Amino acid sequence: MSQADVSYSCGSCGYALNLTSSSRVTSSIGSRYNKSINKDPSTSIFQLSDDCLYFIFQRLDSSLDRESFGLTCHRWLHIQNSSRRSLQFQCSFTQLSVPSLSQPSMNVNSFHLYKLLNRFQQLHSLSLSGCTELQDSCLSMLITYGSKLQSLHLECCFRITDHGLSFIANGCPFLTVVSLYRCNITDTGLSTLTKSCSSIKDVNLSYCLHISDHGITALSKNCRHLRAIRISHCRNVNGLGFQGCSQSLIYLEADSCKLEPEGITAIVSGGGLEYLNISNLRWCIRGHGFGVIDSQFIARLKVIDFRLCRTIDDEAVVKIARGCPLLEEWNLALCHEIRIGGWRSIGSNCGNLKQLHVNRCQNLCDQGLVALRDGCRRLRKLYLGRCRQIGWTTIEMFKCLRSDVQIVNEEVMCIAPDWSFQL
Amino acid sequence: MGDLMGPRLYSCYKCRNHVALHDHIVSKAFQSKNGRAFLFSHAMNVFSGPKEERQLMTGLHVVADVHCADCREVLGWKYEKAYEDSQKYKEGKVVLEKYKIVKENW
């Protein structure tokens, strides 16, 4: 305590120090400090209610700001946690982040999942894709914490089986998007899942090798809002399970399956299909099955992928060219059985066709290309690589008379539109 | 034997791409890892992979895997070089495995 009657000076320079409050010169205090010492303490930010704070938190753009928000106090941390809507791990392929590829991957186990689901209880989208060691028992947490989940990605979760699906069925009744790519599931698991989660819209069952038509029947019967399905490489599916599916089905990707002709009829039976991919169709001795289809079921098709379908011949092409007036993109690469009749039909009927792929078609001759040139008024891109029968002159004449069409040499493997499976 | 329409063809089992003629078979007594195989004097609509040295049942050879041109499935191999004199007749010929090819229209 400094004494009032003693004068103090600095030890090194002898400057007289003003240490007593009575000798304080208040006139030189800054005006800002004056205002703050007169301030009313009841209008600090801590008085704001929770919904105001949620509103503020939504406006924060950078993750740094959001982290700082959460570090303020427990209440603010709770606001940050319950505002999180989507969660994915570094190993996920749904939203690829390139910097994460070079870091060593963490093995996600049930403890991690428990901590995360406990912390973020308002998740709408959860991606566990890439978590190859994840067990079925880890999914049991979804029963307690997954009730608001709408989108669940389990790509490459090789250890997930029907048991895990039963947990999902119990815990996530509002599921709309689910991906089970390369999971070890069977028809029973799929039935259980579709019975409870009847609002499933997009489902990815590619490479689920044990799925057969029984599972697909359950799916089309129980999920009447089904919009998009991928069953690529499901070799036990022959297509009959799709009979009676809802008209909401617009997107079907079934490449490298062993679809039968009756299966093709069943697939289009909903009448609403807009994207159909049956590329790499296994050869069936009974043909393709397009001859007996009623045209009203295929009328809405916009994008068709028949790449490497050896059974597709003129009969199928004529049927589709006449029956699909809205067709915009058609992949007929490596369809060797299409001959002049088919090409002429495409030329005269496909008025809306914008992109056509005819790479490596062994029976596309000069006359066929002339037929395409004289028709298809809306054509913008023609993928014409390595067609051995086409002469150089024919191509030059094409470029001359149809300068609005771009001729491309490359072969495009995937022409799927991005109408579905959006996060 | 009735009237045979056209040449007797073999096709790739996956995509039915025509790969060989029956008339070009040189020998049916070959063995691959997975079963019986036929030696053809040449094959069509196929492409070869990279050359490599392999120890086969008859000795060391330089072979190249042969793939279907459409679906890229491995159908067999092609002999590029044989080191022993008794095996020289195989050079340039193609072996196609029996379970990878199917008869087309006969």
Side-chain angles (χ1 to χ4, degrees):
Chain A
M1 279 292 286
S2 52
Q3 311 227 334
D5 52 348
V6 177
S7 62
Y8 295 84
S9 309
C10 168
S12 57
C13 64
Y15 181 84
L17 301 168
N18 259 335
L19 291 181
T20 57
S21 53
S22 54
S23 54
R24 216 162 138 206
V25 181
T26 51
S27 54
S28 62
I29 296 176
S31 57
R32 276 182 293 142
Y33 183 54
N34 238 338
K35 274 190 194 155
S36 65
I37 53 175
N38 291 331
K39 209 167 150 175
D40 185 358
S42 69
T43 58
S44 84
I45 193 166
F46 290 98
Q47 301 301 124
L48 285 177
S49 65
D50 273 0
D51 39 335
C52 292
L53 289 172
Y54 274 108
F55 192 71
I56 293 171
F57 181 78
Q58 308 291 351
R59 295 296 174 118
L60 293 175
D61 285 333
S62 78
S63 57
L64 199 59
D65 285 343
R66 292 181 165 210
E67 298 273 321
S68 317
F69 189 102
L71 287 170
T72 311
C73 67
H74 272 107
R75 187 174 150 231
W76 288 35
L77 181 64
H78 174 75
I79 290 175
Q80 182 200 13
N81 290 342
S82 44
S83 297
R84 179 172 276 279
R85 291 287 171 266
S86 97
L87 182 67
Q88 69 172 35
F89 294 90
Q90 277 177 346
C91 42
S92 161
F93 346 110
T94 37
Q95 276 171 352
L96 194 63
S97 67
V98 178
S100 71
L101 289 174
S102 54
Q103 289 161 20
S105 58
M106 170 186 77
N107 249 340
V108 177
N109 59 29
S110 60
F111 180 65
H112 298 128
L113 203 57
Y114 165 69
K115 294 287 278 182
L116 286 166
L117 289 177
N118 194 20
R119 185 176 162 187
F120 304 116
Q121 299 206 1
Q122 308 288 328
L123 287 176
H124 284 177
S125 158
L126 175 62
S127 171
L128 296 167
S129 63
C131 301
T132 54
E133 303 296 319
L134 199 70
Q135 310 269 4
D136 281 331
S137 47
C138 307
L139 292 181
S140 59
M141 275 169 256
L142 289 176
I143 299 182
T144 355
Y145 297 116
S147 54
K148 298 205 170 55
L149 222 48
Q150 289 171 15
S151 159
L152 181 60
H153 288 257
L154 293 168
E155 281 107 350
C156 291
C157 294
F158 304 127
R159 295 189 188 223
I160 299 295
T161 65
D162 292 343
H163 193 48
L165 286 191
S166 65
F167 292 135
I168 300 176
N170 259 328
C172 313
F174 303 116
L175 210 53
T176 52
V177 176
V178 61
S179 173
L180 298 164
Y181 173 87
R182 286 195 195 254
C183 291
N184 206 355
I185 56 168
T186 68
D187 292 334
T188 343
L190 191 58
S191 306
T192 327
L193 183 67
T194 52
K195 278 200 191 92
S196 322
C197 306
S198 52
S199 41
I200 286 182
K201 280 169 129 179
D202 299 348
V203 58
N204 184 355
L205 296 168
S206 304
Y207 284 94
C208 293
L209 303 171
H210 305 289
I211 295 288
S212 78
D213 287 279
H214 297 293
I216 302 291
T217 314
L219 183 62
S220 25
K221 199 169 58 142
N222 294 329
C223 301
R224 300 308 291 174
H225 301 287
L226 194 61
R227 179 179 61 176
I229 177 168
R230 287 185 184 155
I231 48 166
S232 312
H233 291 264
C234 290
R235 51 178 182 234
N236 288 324
V237 175
N238 60 30
L240 289 164
F242 284 100
Q243 186 62 45
C245 63
S246 130
Q247 202 190 23
S248 57
L249 186 64
I250 59 171
Y251 179 116
L252 175 66
E253 203 165 86
D255 68 277
S256 312
C257 292
K258 278 186 179 173
L259 301 173
E260 294 185 0
E262 298 81 23
I264 300 277
T265 316
I267 277 175
V268 299
S269 61
L273 215 52
E274 293 177 18
Y275 167 60
L276 177 64
N277 179 348
I278 53 169
S279 62
N280 204 8
L281 186 64
R282 275 302 181 95
W283 197 88
C284 179
I285 199 166
R286 288 174 291 134
H288 46 73
F290 279 97
V292 295
I293 287 183
D294 204 329
S295 295
Q296 57 161 339
F297 292 122
I298 49 173
R300 297 219 183 137
L301 279 169
K302 288 199 182 121
V303 180
I304 301 182
D305 195 341
F306 281 161
R307 186 180 177 272
L308 203 50
C309 289
R310 196 157 175 124
T311 19
I312 295 293
D313 58 4
D314 286 355
E315 185 196 10
V317 165
V318 167
K319 185 71 176 258
I320 290 180
R322 287 197 189 140
C324 304
L326 303 171
L327 195 56
E328 290 176 6
E329 184 166 2
W330 202 354
N331 190 339
L332 290 167
L334 291 156
C335 290
H336 302 312
E337 297 300 313
I338 306 179
R339 292 162 207 276
I340 186 66
W343 304 121
R344 286 210 175 112
S345 173
I346 296 177
S348 46
N349 292 316
C350 293
N352 266 323
L353 197 61
K354 296 199 177 79
Q355 299 193 54
L356 181 61
H357 304 248
V358 290
N359 311 71
R360 297 201 264 163
C361 284
Q362 284 180 8
N363 282 313
L364 177 58
C365 54
D366 290 332
Q367 286 174 327
L369 194 60
V370 166
L372 293 174
R373 180 192 81 198
D374 293 340
C376 297
R377 283 290 120 199
R378 295 235 172 99
L379 196 62
R380 290 293 156 258
K381 258 187 171 172
L382 181 64
Y383 292 81
L384 185 71
R386 291 170 61 188
C387 288
R388 54 169 77 167
Q389 284 198 41
I390 307 281
W392 177 86
T393 3
T394 327
I395 299 185
E396 287 307 308
M397 282 294 289
F398 192 109
K399 286 184 189 167
C400 216
L401 293 169
R402 290 292 298 268
S403 52
D404 52 336
V405 179
Q406 183 193 0
I407 296 195
V408 183
N409 235 347
E410 284 125 25
E411 196 169 324
V412 171
M413 297 298 168
C414 176
I415 59 170
D418 54 356
W419 302 331
S420 320
F421 293 101
Q422 305 287 355
L423 276 173
Chain B
M1 252 179 38
D3 262 358
L4 286 173
M5 306 290 290
R8 291 178 294 178
L9 294 167
Y10 287 100
S11 305
C12 167
Y13 81 112
K14 262 201 166 170
C15 67
R16 295 282 172 146
N17 186 17
H18 303 313
V19 287
L21 290 171
H22 179 77
D23 300 335
H24 290 152
I25 290 182
V26 172
S27 162
K28 288 189 172 182
F30 275 67
Q31 277 294 328
S32 75
K33 269 195 299 256
N34 302 306
R36 208 167 148 209
F38 300 163
L39 181 72
F40 289 86
S41 55
H42 62 277
M44 54 194 184
N45 295 328
V46 292
F47 67 91
S48 315
K51 294 184 197 166
E52 54 178 28
E53 282 193 347
R54 239 184 258 173
Q55 187 73 19
L56 301 172
M57 277 179 5
T58 43
L60 189 67
H61 298 269
V62 175
V63 297
D65 274 338
V66 136
H67 303 253
C68 168
D70 285 353
C71 65
R72 297 197 200 146
E73 178 76 12
V74 175
L75 301 176
W77 64 89
K78 180 174 176 172
Y79 288 100
E80 300 289 348
K81 185 173 161 55
Y83 290 112
E84 291 175 35
D85 281 339
S86 59
Q87 308 297 320
K88 287 277 179 201
Y89 77 98
K90 295 177 186 172
E91 284 181 6
K93 297 193 172 71
V94 176
V95 172
L96 298 177
E97 297 182 57
K98 181 168 185 260
Y99 89 111
K100 295 264 175 147
I101 54 176
V102 287
K103 294 182 188 176
E104 192 75 30
N105 296 330
W106 63 287

